[in-house]
Amino acid sequence: MRTDSAMWPDGCRGAVSLTFDDGLADHLRRAVPVLNERGLRGTFYLCPKGDDLTKRLEPWCAVFEAGHEIGNHSLSHTCSRNFQPANDPGPVGLEHTTLAEIEADLTEAERRLQELFPADGRSFAYPCYQSDVGEGPTRQSYVPLVAKLFVAGRTGGEYGFFNHPCNVDLHHLGGIAAERMPGTELVGLVERCVRRGHW
């Protein structure tokens, strides 16, 4: 069994990955400059959908060239129908999506991302942190599909959940939604993670 000190290189005691979903304007305006100023790199998960894709995603080319990862967040960002109002039929939710449909969606998103942001391996972020399709007796995980297509997949996790570097499933990485947390809370999470030697 490895000790905590042997799990990380160069005397590091843990790791933190900074990921940003949905390609928001605030990420370009605020997050990217702050990361660049501090010599840090993040992963920005984009949904390459819509017309005039090259023009719409053009601002992300500089982010990619600066060394940040551009990750795959699917083409259609399909989530559970529970995110829709009860009286709004809206788009089809994960409950009525098949593995074949998810695979087609992720593959097309990756094809489009490769055109603008070529990468030998890319990570994926599950939209709405959800990794299953179907419901009840038809419900099944699409983690094996993500494992086939990507080097890693980030989902959600319980508050304070950290990934153990020796035991983690790279295609179902736990993450903590931190977009509404104050800075002091974020620092506390990082300190707890480092104390445990986790990611």
Side-chain angles (χ1 to χ4, degrees), residues 122-193:
R122 192 181 316 275
S123 67
F124 173 75
Y126 296 87
C128 303
Y129 307 106
Q130 298 168 326
S131 58
D132 293 344
V133 296
E135 63 182 333
T138 67
R139 187 176 182 127
Q140 55 190 319
S141 170
Y142 71 92
V143 173
L145 173 60
V146 169
K148 182 175 93 171
L149 299 173
F150 303 102
V151 297
R154 194 221 66 217
T155 184
E158 295 179 23
Y159 181 83
F161 170 84
F162 305 116
N163 299 291
H164 190 289
C166 296
N167 302 325
V168 67
D169 178 351
L170 286 176
H171 298 96
H172 198 266
L173 291 163
I176 298 170
E179 60 269 17
R180 291 177 183 85
M181 287 185 190
T184 53
E185 191 171 1
L186 289 169
V187 169
L189 282 171
V190 170
E191 289 173 344
R192 283 175 58 196
C193 177

Side-chain angles (χ1 to χ4, degrees), residues 46-49 72-78 105-106 109 124-125 127 142:
L46 306 182
C47 297
K49 62 184 173 186
N72 189 318
H73 200 37
S74 81
L75 191 63
S76 60
H77 202 285
T78 304
D105 184 282
L106 302 187
F124 173 75
Y142 71 92

Side-chain angles (χ1 to χ4, degrees), residues 4-179:
D4 285 352
S5 61
M7 289 192 293
W8 298 104
D10 303 325
C12 292
R13 295 182 295 152
V16 175
S17 294
L18 300 173
T19 63
F20 304 83
D21 293 5
D22 304 327
L24 303 177
D26 269 359
H27 299 161
L28 291 167
R29 188 172 55 250
R30 299 178 71 188
V32 171
V34 169
L35 291 171
N36 288 344
E37 286 169 12
R38 288 161 177 78
L40 299 172
R41 296 297 172 257
T43 300
F44 294 87
Y45 289 108
L46 306 182
C47 297
K49 62 184 173 186
D51 298 327
D52 203 7
L53 192 63
T54 302
K55 182 178 179 183
R56 191 171 60 77
L57 294 182
E58 190 275 331
W60 292 98
C61 290
V63 176
F64 179 67
E65 290 164 8
H68 301 278
E69 180 189 10
I70 300 298
N72 189 318
H73 200 37
S74 81
L75 191 63
S76 60
H77 202 285
T78 304
C79 298
S80 168
R81 65 178 181 229
N82 285 312
F83 285 90
Q84 300 164 200
N87 60 353
D88 178 9
V92 174
L94 287 169
E95 293 85 353
H96 297 287
T97 303
T98 66
L99 287 177
E101 289 167 334
I102 286 287
E103 182 169 12
D105 184 282
L106 302 187
T107 302
E108 177 58 18
E110 185 58 25
R111 185 192 68 75
R112 294 179 185 194
L113 289 172
Q114 283 291 347
E115 287 180 5
L116 295 169
F117 315 105
D120 290 335
R122 192 181 316 275
S123 67
F124 173 75
Y126 296 87
C128 303
Y129 307 106
Q130 298 168 326
S131 58
D132 293 344
V133 296
E135 63 182 333
T138 67
R139 187 176 182 127
Q140 55 190 319
S141 170
Y142 71 92
V143 173
L145 173 60
V146 169
K148 182 175 93 171
L149 299 173
F150 303 102
V151 297
R154 194 221 66 217
T155 184
E158 295 179 23
Y159 181 83
F161 170 84
F162 305 116
N163 299 291
H164 190 289
C166 296
N167 302 325
V168 67
D169 178 351
L170 286 176
H171 298 96
H172 198 266
L173 291 163
I176 298 170
E179 60 269 17

